[in-house]
Amino acid sequence: MTLEPVPAPPPDVDGPPGGSTAAGSVAAGLAVERVAEPAAPEGFDLEAALAAAAASDLSAPAEPLPLPASARRDGPALNGLIDRMVEVYPPKVARKRRRQLRVNDPESPPEIAANTRTVPGIITQRGCCYAGCKGVVLGPIPDIVHIVHGPIGCSYYSWMTRRNQVRPGPGVANYLPYCFSTDMTEDEIIFGGEKKLAEAIREAHELLHPRAIAVFSTCPVGLIGDDVHAVARKMRKELGINVFGFSCEGYKGVSQSAGHHIANNGLFQHVVGTEEPDLPAVTTPFRINVLGEYNIGGDAFEIERVLTRCGIEVVATFSGNTNYTEIATSHTANLNVVMCHRSINYLAEMMETSYGIPWIKVNFLGAGSMAKSLRKIARYFGDADLTARVEVVIADELSQISAEKDEIRARCEGKTAMLYVGGSRAHHYQELFRDLGMPTISAGYEFAHRDDYEGREVLGDIRIDADSRNIEEIEVHPDPLNYRRRRSGAELAELAEGGLRTKDYDGMMREMPAESLIVDDISHRELEVLIEELRPDVVCSGIKDRYVIEKMGVPSKQLHNYDYGGPYAGFRGAITFYREIDRLVNAEVWRFVKPPWDGEPLASALDTTA
Amino acid sequence: MLDHTPVAVMERHALRINPAKTCQPIGALYAASGLHRCLPHSHGSQGCCSYHRSHLTRHFREPVMASSSSFTEGASVFGGASNLVQALGTIFSTYGPDVVAVHTTCLSETIGDDIPSIIARAREEGAIPDGKHVIHASTPSYSGSHVTGFAAMAAGMVNYFAEEPTSSRRRKDGRTRVNIVPGFVEPSDMREVRRIAELMNLTPTVLPDTSGVLDAPATGTYEFYPKGGVTVDELRGLGRAVATVALGPQASRAAAVAVENRCYVPREILDLPIGIAATDRFVGVLRRRAAYEVPGELLDERGQLVDLMADARQHLHGKKVAIFGDPDHVVAMAEFVADLGMRPVHILTGTPGKSFEKRVGTLLAGRSPDANVRSRGDLFLLHQWMKNDPVDLLIGTSYGKHLARAEDVPFVRYGWPILDRFGHSYFPSVGYRGGLRLMEKILDALLDRRDRDAPDEEFELIL
């Protein structure tokens, strides 16, 4: 099986780069670290590594780490714990919550209720549709002017708060330190805001001359009936640049998840496939898009560094450290790799249908899973040189971190973690803990769906409720000009047979210990009970929980903003995370929570004769 | 940094860029967290509550609790009444607060939900246990700013709880009661105005009071309702005070007016006691209301501040300053820097309201005649002003750090929010001691810059 660079190979290039590295990315803007030719560590046996890689089933779930005795609970004890978690709720609420609490069985994942409404009044981690659309998926693209149509708050809160880093490169605008809003007032609520929106777009164009302008609807916009799409169409015509809108009002769906879907639809309809790449710059067939990687704390930089060493070119990242042109030309990649399945699987599916690009699930978090993900990419391309190069890079990278990892592991092994966050991270980060020998005793997502827990095989069984039905499913057909099947059905079947399934994600539960506890959309109350009862050594969550957890004397690691650290992806990121966990679970501060005289009778303090 | 900001100022009519304000509900949430055993509740989409809790947590580095009506599309079409009734039942059962303080959002206000009638329905349906309270403030995100949201919830507390006075205004111990509305300030500031009032022989009711809530100690136990906060009983007794002192008109006037209307307690509307002159006015009012001479302890603090002003004046004189943030903060700071011999040349708030420009004009009294003063401004405009008329110092919230970097200007963090430094919730900016702290920060910023830029032969050990 060979793949051509897209759309046709330049005449002087006949294969993957065995020597020189991949050329600069399609867009001039991407800053790529100049890389040295990878060299294997001393004693590395390439033949053995290749044989081991070829024999491995890359789609098999990782074996769960067993629970340590201290964290093991039998069935009745777990049921008692669940009872305690829900006992203060009104009976109806307790019944609903029980459906979102599951005792795990990795062999046969239990059905969990997910992506259902949060009961009003319950203190939840969840945000809104707008946050998922603008805040997560679109917001990181630096050279689009993102205008939020609504009162000021929505734009303000999503301004520089997600740590999407970018190195825009020459000629690429960076508007990320800017916040744009129509700052809607009572007048627009009463008389409509379309005029003000059009004027705001005009002003943005006049001041900044951006490549594209995106418009995001907030709650009142839907209610007063402003048609942001009509305004966008009108302004596209008037200004001659791409202007497009998103109906991502906060009340849609049940969490950020609805916004991801709306963002995927909009990017697919308005940006992906709208430009053709600069052909002479395309020198390798190993061109991929990284989907669902938002470059929090620089993760994408590290991922790109390693991929580049391997000779794999990133066309576009959705949507960290990327730019408009990269996304517009992303239909020319030969493979989509999916990091955050929850937020971006829609685009992966649509791009496969429309352009013939297969997708595979990867996880770049954890040294072990990073290596496995690279092997997946190599296996997909099926090129001997690439495969060898990937093995050399893996060996080299691991050799650089292994000594320190072992040293940290000795201090952390057997300690326990809990993760309640996001729609992928609560799964992905378990791999970093696995590297340190720390089992995850309980985990859950903030806004994921059943497939993220149980695996995509349950997709057909998921009941579509009223909240999901309101989110548009766009109909996608093969693109008449640009559809090019990268791999035939037979080739994909052959890959699956050999241990690489495309279009697949097994979910969190298969990789978690038996009798660990799965909690969907955890509430504040449940978090408190779980920490009290299970006393984990570290809890991974977000900013709203951070100080609750630490007031209880348990270290907390934020996995939305990384506590302003990172990167944690890739090999260098992994070692940074190990150090972070070492810092957390072995910190000095907790010794001081109780004063030294705590529990000492006052009289003995006065007794100076002793 | 901020490379796309052009030097030439273009008047904008529709596009807000880099706001110097946010929306009302977050201010209401903050105010309600200063009510003892209260759970703030956001009547709107989940995202509002999530964003507000996140942002307040980033500033205070403390748990910030609040619940949401979690509107879905259905609620947005048919109204949020059943969501709020259900929420109240769940909240009292699950979190057991004494008070739930409901604030509205752009969504529920656009729909037109009538909160008092929904609360009445909830009570009828048994969602609110006897002896428990639900109060509310109307805080649509499309008017005012976070500052007016704070004002609305502070006034809401008064409107729901303050009773007409029935007992004597003078306490048995001879101390006089006074109400203080401290403004949208830090827990440390609320603690400090209480201390000053107590030094003046007064018994203050500080409303709201987030000290002891958002600066709670680490003890190994998490307290969902920390020990701080003004109590319902204290709010009921607001009518027994000799006066209500509102610190910062934009954040505090509404509550003081509400106390006056309900309880006939006269109001004193003052600037935030930031810097020497505004603190003098505050202490002067307390002295008059308490009929109590300013004690030596407070006079010594004042004297120390004057002493430092004299000691440091050569480093400050004539320095040009840009100040932005919340109107009450900016007004008081503009006066203070002028009193320090500096020249405030760009003075901006995002909160709408003409009184801001007027008050700045009065306090500066011609001391910075060409100053740019703007309410309803934004940081894009402020940046352009700084490009056109450079300054020696920028004072404002953490959002100023990008401007400071872009223009290479020393920067003092002051106001709300501060997202990238520590200590603000522990050390006050108000009062004479707060003045000392602010001067230390200003002098550190200016002298660090002087040291950084000095050639070796002018790099001085002693300054």
Side-chain angles (χ1 to χ4, degrees), chain A residues 44-46 48-59 306-307 310 312 335 337 360-364 367-383 386-396 398 495 498-500 571:
Chain A
F44 174 65
D45 180 348
L46 178 61
L50 286 170
S56 63
D57 181 351
L58 297 173
S59 287
V306 177
L307 290 173
C310 295
I312 298 160
L335 174 68
V337 302
I360 55 172
K361 178 76 183 72
V362 293
N363 176 14
F364 295 130
S369 53
M370 178 75 192
K372 186 170 166 182
S373 297
L374 292 174
R375 289 185 177 122
K376 282 185 176 181
I377 298 169
R379 176 89 59 93
Y380 168 82
F381 283 112
D383 178 274
L386 175 70
T387 305
R389 196 177 168 100
V390 161
E391 289 305 323
V392 170
V393 169
I394 290 171
D396 181 40
L398 288 178
L495 278 173
L500 176 65
F571 297 105

Side-chain angles (χ1 to χ4, degrees), chain A residues 164-342:
Chain A
N164 309 112
Q165 298 183 359
V166 67
R167 293 175 189 148
V172 177
N174 179 12
Y175 303 120
L176 296 193
Y178 293 89
C179 168
F180 303 94
S181 169
T182 55
D183 193 4
M184 202 176 240
T185 60
E186 200 145 9
D187 277 357
E188 287 91 52
I189 297 291
I190 297 168
F191 302 110
E194 291 183 10
K195 244 164 99 186
K196 190 174 194 183
L197 174 59
E199 185 56 24
I201 294 170
R202 226 173 261 127
E203 289 177 357
H205 177 68
E206 198 176 334
L207 272 169
L208 304 164
H209 311 290
R211 300 229 29 208
I213 295 176
V215 177
F216 302 89
S217 303
T218 62
C219 291
V221 170
L223 292 181
I224 63 177
D226 276 4
D227 184 346
V228 298
H229 306 286
V231 174
R233 273 195 302 275
K234 189 182 115 189
M235 297 313 292
R236 191 156 58 216
K237 225 168 170 184
E238 181 183 318
L239 304 177
I241 61 168
N242 196 0
V243 183
F244 48 101
F246 293 87
S247 291
C248 54
E249 288 84 350
Y251 54 73
K252 288 194 170 159
V254 300
S255 68
Q256 291 95 311
S257 178
H260 303 146
H261 196 163
I262 291 168
N264 279 228
N265 289 349
L267 272 180
F268 181 77
Q269 289 171 308
H270 298 292
V271 189
V272 173
T274 56
E275 292 182 13
E276 288 306 320
D278 176 13
L279 291 182
V282 176
T283 58
T284 171
F286 312 133
R287 307 176 75 244
I288 68 171
N289 297 315
V290 179
L291 270 56
E293 166 50 55
Y294 303 104
N295 200 23
I296 312 291
D299 278 350
F301 298 148
E302 167 65 3
I303 294 168
E304 284 166 32
R305 181 189 71 81
V306 177
L307 290 173
T308 305
R309 283 197 84 191
C310 295
I312 298 160
E313 182 185 319
V314 177
V315 181
T317 303
F318 289 71
S319 48
N321 194 38
T322 192
N323 60 54
Y324 182 83
T325 304
E326 290 180 355
I327 291 191
T329 57
S330 62
H331 63 295
T332 64
N334 285 325
L335 174 68
N336 281 333
V337 302
V338 171
M339 264 296 274
C340 177
H341 175 261
R342 182 66 270 135

Side-chain angles (χ1 to χ4, degrees), chain B residues 4 13 57 223 268 297 311 353 375 402 436 459 461:
Chain B
H4 305 286
H13 307 284
T57 303
E223 300 291 344
E268 299 264 13
E297 187 177 341
D311 294 348
S375 67
H402 298 80
L436 288 172
F459 186 66
L461 175 67

Side-chain angles (χ1 to χ4, degrees), chain A residues 16 40 353 397:
Chain A
T353 309
E397 296 279 344

Side-chain angles (χ1 to χ4, degrees), chain A residues 23-44:
Chain A
S25 78
V26 170
L30 187 69
V32 180
E33 200 180 316
R34 184 91 195 130
V35 287
E37 183 64 15
E42 217 169 296
F44 174 65

Side-chain angles (χ1 to χ4, degrees), chain A residues 53-121:
Chain A
S56 63
D57 181 351
L58 297 173
S59 287
E63 184 77 16
L65 286 182
L67 291 179
S70 61
R72 221 170 286 148
R73 301 280 186 285
D74 60 10
L78 282 169
N79 287 331
L81 177 58
I82 290 174
D83 289 344
R84 234 204 106 195
M85 287 165 74
V86 302
E87 71 191 1
V88 293
Y89 295 139
K92 226 174 105 183
V93 180
R95 273 200 301 281
K96 178 181 183 300
R97 284 304 303 157
R98 280 177 185 279
R99 291 195 287 275
Q100 290 170 273
L101 305 173
R102 285 292 176 262
V103 176
N104 191 42
D105 176 0
E107 301 299 322
S108 165
E111 180 176 337
I112 189 165
N115 192 34
T116 60
R117 291 179 189 181
T118 301
V119 177

